[in-house]
């Protein structure tokens, strides 16, 4: 497992034995949004960057599982990572743009973010299902938090 240890990512086994910190080129402000891809090859995480912008300043990074080849995926902030497609081609995340919190996706390799939701209210916590056909997320768009899903085969709005 990978846990956040005061802004650093640390490996532990299932019995809680510490296996060491992951070297992320001096990054020590990882927030609680982190995880491995389905195949375990890549580590994705959100990092707070006070130097870039005080307050809402999280952006999404990808690295090899052991911490090498670190790269920024979402240059805009705030962006909070939540899920990756089973084929590792897309990341889904919650981001605030123009004062609204919506769900976005971006190619893992690099590219332009795509806005998936466009409703008033908080859209948060996107995750792909096991085969990549659906993205599940929660939303406060009705005034109460509910679970929604979007089929990944249609054009995003």
């Amino acid at each position: 497992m990978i846990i956040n240890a005061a802004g650093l990512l640390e490996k532990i086994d299932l019995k809680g034995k510490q296996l060491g910190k992951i070297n992320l080129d001096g990054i020590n402000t990882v927030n609680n949004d982190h995880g491995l891809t389905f195949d375990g090859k890549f580590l994705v995480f959100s990092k707070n960057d006070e130097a870039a912008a005080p307050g809402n300043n999280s952006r999404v990074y990808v690295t090899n599982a052991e911490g090498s080849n670190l790269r920024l995926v979402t240059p805009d902030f705030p962006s909070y990572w939540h899920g990756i497609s089973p084929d590792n081609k897309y990341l889904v995340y919650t981001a605030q743009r123009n004062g609204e919190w919506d769900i976005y996706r971006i190619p893992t390799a690099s590219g332009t973010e795509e806005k998936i939701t466009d409703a008033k209210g908080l859209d948060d916590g996107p995750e792909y299902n096991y085969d990549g056909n659906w993205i599940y997320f929660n939303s406060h768009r009705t005034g109460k938090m509910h679970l929604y899903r979007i089929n990944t085969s249609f054009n995003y709005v």
Side-chain angles (χ1 to χ4, degrees):
M1 294 185 344
I2 297 175
I3 63 167
N4 186 321
L8 301 171
L9 295 181
E10 183 175 344
K11 297 179 282 186
I12 62 169
D13 69 15
L14 295 178
K15 294 183 179 181
K17 179 181 177 186
Q18 295 176 316
L19 302 174
K21 302 241 185 330
I22 299 172
N23 181 359
L24 298 173
D25 286 335
I27 290 176
N28 60 4
T29 55
V30 174
N31 63 37
N32 286 327
D33 301 319
H34 61 274
L36 292 168
T37 56
F38 287 94
D39 60 11
K41 291 181 180 178
F42 301 100
L43 172 63
V44 186
F45 62 91
S46 299
K47 172 199 176 302
N48 296 321
D49 188 354
E50 284 296 319
N56 281 337
N57 53 28
S58 178
R59 295 188 283 184
V60 180
Y61 291 77
V62 173
T63 183
N64 291 338
E66 77 285 348
S68 64
N69 297 323
L70 177 70
R71 61 189 168 74
L72 174 66
V73 179
T74 61
D76 295 331
F77 47 81
S79 301
Y80 294 91
W81 176 72
H82 287 282
I84 190 164
S85 59
D87 61 6
N88 294 344
K89 290 184 179 179
Y90 291 98
L91 301 176
V92 287
Y93 54 98
T94 300
Q96 185 184 42
R97 308 287 185 261
N98 302 315
E100 285 294 325
W101 289 96
D102 286 299
I103 306 300
Y104 290 80
R105 83 170 187 168
I106 196 166
T108 306
S110 75
T112 304
E113 69 181 14
E114 297 175 79
K115 189 175 185 179
I116 295 176
T117 63
D118 193 20
K120 295 288 183 197
L122 173 65
D123 293 334
D124 194 17
E127 289 283 353
Y128 279 88
N129 75 324
Y130 70 96
D131 64 9
N133 290 329
W134 297 94
I135 296 171
Y136 287 82
F137 66 98
N138 58 68
S139 178
H140 198 264
R141 59 183 64 187
T142 64
K144 294 184 178 181
M145 196 60 77
H146 292 285
L147 184 64
Y148 293 84
R149 71 179 185 170
I150 295 176
N151 188 299
T152 57
S153 66
F154 78 88
N155 292 330
Y156 295 101
V157 215

